[in-house]
Amino acid sequence: MLSLVTAAEHQYRHEARTRDREHALRASIREHHEYRATATAVAQPRTAVAVASRPPRAVWARPIGAHANPDATQVGCAIA
């Protein structure tokens, strides 16, 4: 019985160390991305840029290979 308790404690400690290491890694990655985003935002001044208007989005996603239908009254894909 004592060996089962000892094995469970070792397993718990191992999982806790692994989890803490993963959390620390994710936190460092998050901090790095936040630092880069802040540095990029500070380094590049914002300028007014004319953006071309985009076509309106469809209500549902088109299947791959289907083209936008110029006539909005027709269905753009085959229905089986």
Side-chain angles (χ1 to χ4, degrees), residues 10-23:
H10 282 287
Q11 182 66 29
Y12 174 78
R13 288 188 191 117
H14 172 71
E15 289 174 356
R17 282 192 302 265
T18 304
R19 183 180 58 244
D20 292 341
R21 192 170 37 245
E22 288 175 353
H23 283 280

Side-chain angles (χ1 to χ4, degrees), residues 28-59:
S28 68
I29 291 170
R30 191 178 311 116
E31 289 171 2
H32 178 73
H33 285 293
E34 289 172 358
Y35 172 76
R36 287 190 57 177
T38 304
T40 303
V42 170
Q44 297 176 350
R46 297 282 181 178
T47 58
V49 177
V51 179
S53 63
R54 299 175 75 178
R57 288 183 171 250
V59 177

